[in-house]
Amino acid sequence: MYEHDVIVVGAGGAGLRAAVAADEAGADVALVSKLHPVRSHTGAAEGGINAALREGDDWELHAYDTMKGSDYLADAPAVETLTQDSPEDTITLEHWGMPFSREEDGRVSQRPFGGLSFPRTTYAGAETGHHLLHVMYEQVVKRGIQVYDEWYVMDLATTDEDDPNERECHGVVAYDVQSGKVEGFKANDGVILATGGPGQAFDHTTNAVSCTGDGHAMAYRAGAPLEDMEFIQFHPTSLPSTGVLISEGVRGEGGILYNNDGERFMFEHGYANNDGELASRDVVARAELTEVQEGRGVNDEYVHLDMRHLGEERILDRLENILHLAEDFEGVDGLIEPMPVKPGQHYAMGGIEVDENGQTCINGLYAAGECACVSVHGGNRLGGNALPELIVFGKRAGRHAAGDDLGEPQIRTGYGDDVEDETETELPVQPGSAGLDSSGGVAADGGMTADAEGILERQVESAREHVDYLMEKDTGVQHAEIRQKLQNAMTDYVNVFRTEEGVKKALRLIRECREEYQDVYVDDPSRTFNTDLQQTIETRNLIDVAETIALGALVRNEFRGAHWRQENQIRDDENWLKHTLISWEEGEPKIFYRPVILEGEDKTYEPKDRSY
Amino acid sequence: MSTQQQKPEQPESQEAPQDPEMKGAESPVDEKEKETGEIDQRTADDGELDGETVLIKVFRYDPEVADKQEPRFDEFHVPFEKGMTVLDAVMYARDHYDSSLTFRHSCRQAVCGSDAFFVNGKQRLGCKTQMADLEHPVRIEPLPHQEVVKDLVVDMDHFYDQMHTVEPYLQQDDLPTGDLEEQRQSRENREKIKMSTRCIWCGACMSSCNIAAGDNEYLGPAAINKAYRFAMDDREDEEVKEHRLRIIEQEHGVWRCQTQFSCTEVCPKDIPLTEHIQELKREAVKKNLKFW
Amino acid sequence: MAERYSSFTPGGTGWLLQRITAAFLVVVLAFHFFQLHFVNHAADVTFAGTQARMENVGYFLTMVLFLIAGTFHGVNGVYNALVNQGLKGTQKKVVLAVLVIASVALIVQGIIVAMAMAGVVII
Amino acid sequence: MSQSYNRGLIEDFGRWKEFSAGMWAWIFHKFTGWMLIGYLFTHIAVLSTAVGAASGDASLVASGDDIYTTTIQGLESLFIVRVLEVGLLAVAVFHILNGLRLLMVDLGVGLDAQDKSFYASLVLTAIITVASVPTFMDGVAL
Ligand SMILES: Cc1cc2nc3c(=O)[nH]c(=O)nc-3n(C[C@H](O)[C@H](O)[C@H](O)COP(=O)(O)OP(=O)(O)OC[C@H]3O[C@@H](n4cnc5c(N)ncnc54)[C@H](O)[C@@H]3O)c2cc1C
Ligand code: HEM
Ligand code: SF4
Ligand code: F3S
Ligand code: FES
């Protein structure tokens, strides 16, 4: 057993920032991550960090833009915290040596971004995330913070009071990928989940293979609700084979989308008669999919993004990196042929419900980064708002866990008297339960309050048994099959197009995945670096997370931000100005709602049309 | 449409365009390959490969499994698709033929640095290498000169240790105190360190270097490049720079480099490693001459 | 953390001397080859001819320096090559000692020869 | 985990086909360097006969029959020695040319052309060597 004051699970931008903050606040902190820190997906972010740094800009404008961008589903206290703290925390990165791009006078550069009223996106070339991740890891090295890399966290060690609000988290159970041994990590002061996005729930995503929503699933099973999971951002131009992003800049420069019949469908099929290819992301993504579904896709899969007419000179001058991406990852030369593109899952706005201090409703359990939902993105994330979320809320979670006083949060968490219960939606299948009897959830002990160590030990035991079981079973289904089926179900039915029928189909398929999962086995008999085992466990997390996404998409019958429903294609403020929350209760999801907080520090953000 | 219909956004540059730096320099490595004809012409190859299967030979080793204790090569026939990378091929083999096939990978877009393999005798990133660019059958092995943990997974600890040895973090306590006041850095200076900051810790360079293979204590190109990144950063003071030069001019530092250039050739981020190492050698000599 | 690498030799001096001797050798070696294969054919070398050349002080000194530079350059090169291949500890010390003795012997012998050629008889 | 597999160095040289320019340059430079230092030792040994000549009979020197002259001319009359000399020239020329290339690299000049300059050294070495054969082989019989 290992013991530390604060255990941070995940070493992407959010996890590293939390660890440094906890260390600065005097705690003995350890990072436990399934990847070495510099391999985290934060490294893929390109664009930049929004921070109101300059004359003429201030946090209030940034807050206003963010509320508007969120389609009024973000909580004002969270948004204001983000926009107030981001400038200072961004400058801290600079002080740590982050190689930001520079202005003539030597100050950090900022650029304009979609949905922002001021050019406040601070960037470091086209690889802001890479630099952010590395500079933060450098700080971890500098401070000598303990890193357990290639340790896969399987479960939380949480007490099992009936009311999740009374539960307490005492640590995590992890297994060492290199050796296969399962160990407990006791956290005296808190556990911070910073496990990143759940992109792998979809077949086609810009997210890394490691983005499997482990933190979501662990917190969920421990009783912390997941919030607004149905809000998934899709990017219209990602490469079909890998999901690598092709910048919107191509369309900005005049790139044209064609279907298989060579039609410029954005106009010819009337998706956006005025703006064509430059319509907003969700519009373009839906248009592309409609083309494919109606049989006009190339190879029934994608459409073409053509920039050849821009001429070699202009392409080389402005879009050269696109040429390299298409060449390296798709084997296509953008100068002589059009590039294949299709919509790809890109970002999850929802996540583990937390307050401004990063705390969940479970004592001692925190979440930060993409896996958390303080609710700053609401229905739609603005470009450049995820990275500041990592540093602002990562830092706050770290400090709070280490015992710093950050004041009373205004956002409430967990099931309480301010929520509204879901009443009507009819579910096609019984969600949850199946396949989840072994391990997970809370350390069941019939309410007997064992000490922290006892709870952790029991959870370690159960995790060991779970691993042994998976390893010893030698026939059955392999996870890859189940994962593929799950991903296809999500991409087919819970993608940018959502219909009641479709989402229900997805739920049925997810149910099938659960049932199949009961027969899952790990073929690789070795304890050494068994990625088969790791992926098998991840697949189960994906099932849980996918189910919450689909459930959220089913109940929310409106069109808001990135979530579109055929049956009700308007933003329905009257009925839906509220967060969807799904919590795991005795093996079953429970759905409830909490109103959005639109009252800021000294003003209220009145919902307006989201037009630019 | 609905109230939701939005006006065209500015090209939302999340993955944004206007910045000149986005247009990564023409990769010298690619050029080299084209010149030496080491790589077949893709267009000719594509036609041949489309709809066919390609053969990959993958190194297998597992200390725990009886018939894998003695390393061997396994062959997999993988259906070829346009745009298929080496990583796609091994993933296909794993998901369809043998789930115990083990390798590190994550981002699939050349930023996480997990999947440097030894492909057809050269260190390359699996996700950044097109199958169509290679001679077939394709031989895939773990990085040489690092201990193999299992299959394509090598022990990276030594690499990380070397990286940590050069004190890889900005050392500047004298920070501007003003509200939201950043340290100033000239564009030229940022440009100077730009390439060096691109390292993704893939370890390809270290694995390709014969000297690093022979001398386990040699810092290796990646760590020296990391040192360069800070030594050349004007935000650090002169004394810190001297301290950094002292680290890299240890016996197992820059002097060990024999300018073999293989590091520079394999680096997937096109970092001019040899150039950086040589520059540090000269800096170190200059510094020493000052004291003579 | 750098302590691990601190060792007595900073390494830079050897490196620099290797380059400086190399630069010197380029000139002298070219001259040497030219002199003894093109101007005077090696086959026609006689002691008398050698003596005549060696009696010129400049030539004599150049040759001695040539020898010292060449020996240092060659032996230091060999030593570095071995260290690059991971030679360390006692072995390294032994090799260094052997190489130093060999080079000193070579230089001493070379000087004796040169003096003999120049007609300065010491023995 | 316990053991891991180390493929050692042997494998490296089994892969010589895949070496790149810089690596070949390194290997050749090493090889030629060692040859040269080896030759330097031999050379001094041979020249040591001068000590004998100087301390011997002066008339022998005058008539060209001293031990130094006879040794050298004896050696030079051997075909094989001439061949070895040509080899030595090749080795030296390559080492010099590549040495110059390395010095340039040290100064940071022409790093982009490092492979080209290596090939250039090879070609030049070949030309110089071939061109010098007549001179070197002058007056020797098989
Ligand atoms: C292509 C792309 C471009 C983007 N561009 C931008 C941009 O320009 N601006 C912006 O603001 N945002 C951008 N984003 C979004 C942003 O990058 C991400 O939301 C953010 O990086 C997520 O960071 P994180 O720290 O939460 O998670 P990650 O960086 O994904 O880190 C997750 C960590 O958790 C660990 N982990 C996961 N599961 C486990 C487990 N079970 N046990 C142990 N460890 C675990 C992993 O090892 C990893 O270290 C982009 C995203 C993508 C995909
Ligand atoms: C004539 C001009 C010469 C030049 C320009 C030259 C240049 C060089 C250079 C630059 C190196 C260093 C290589 C490195 O560290 O990367 C070197 C190494 C070496 N040189 Fe020379 N050299 C010359 C002559 C000689 C002579 C005359 C000898 C023999 C006496 C010699 C023997 C060696 C040896 C043994 C090495 C070490 C090779 C190795 O790395 O294993 N060189 N030379
Ligand atoms: S320098 Fe290049 S090859 Fe070396 S670790 Fe960094 S990215 Fe990889
Ligand atoms: S390969 Fe090695 S020898 Fe130097 S130039 Fe690169 S570090
Ligand atoms: S998978 Fe990340 S670098 Fe290749």
Side-chain angles (χ1 to χ4, degrees), chain B residues 208-211 218 221 256-263 274 277:
Chain B
S208 80
C209 177
N210 276 313
I211 307 300
Y218 174 40
R256 290 273 76 85
C257 168
Q258 306 282 302
T259 57
Q260 279 192 31
F261 285 94
S262 35
C263 53
T274 314
I277 298 172

Side-chain angles (χ1 to χ4, degrees), chain B residues 38-95:
Chain B
E38 185 199 325
I39 272 174
D40 316 332
Q41 273 303 301
R42 162 173 316 136
T43 30
D45 239 20
D46 260 2
E48 268 168 50
L49 289 171
D50 246 348
E52 292 195 6
T53 61
V54 286
L55 177 60
I56 55 174
K57 297 184 172 187
V58 188
F59 179 95
R60 304 302 301 273
Y61 165 79
D62 187 328
E64 270 182 65
V65 178
D67 65 337
K68 277 171 80 185
Q69 275 162 355
E70 199 43 52
R72 59 162 203 246
F73 279 88
D74 279 356
E75 301 193 348
F76 301 98
H77 292 271
V78 179
F80 179 80
E81 273 172 40
K82 191 177 159 70
M84 180 177 241
T85 62
V86 169
L87 180 65
D88 293 334
V90 284
M91 280 169 78
Y92 187 94
R94 179 196 63 198
D95 291 345

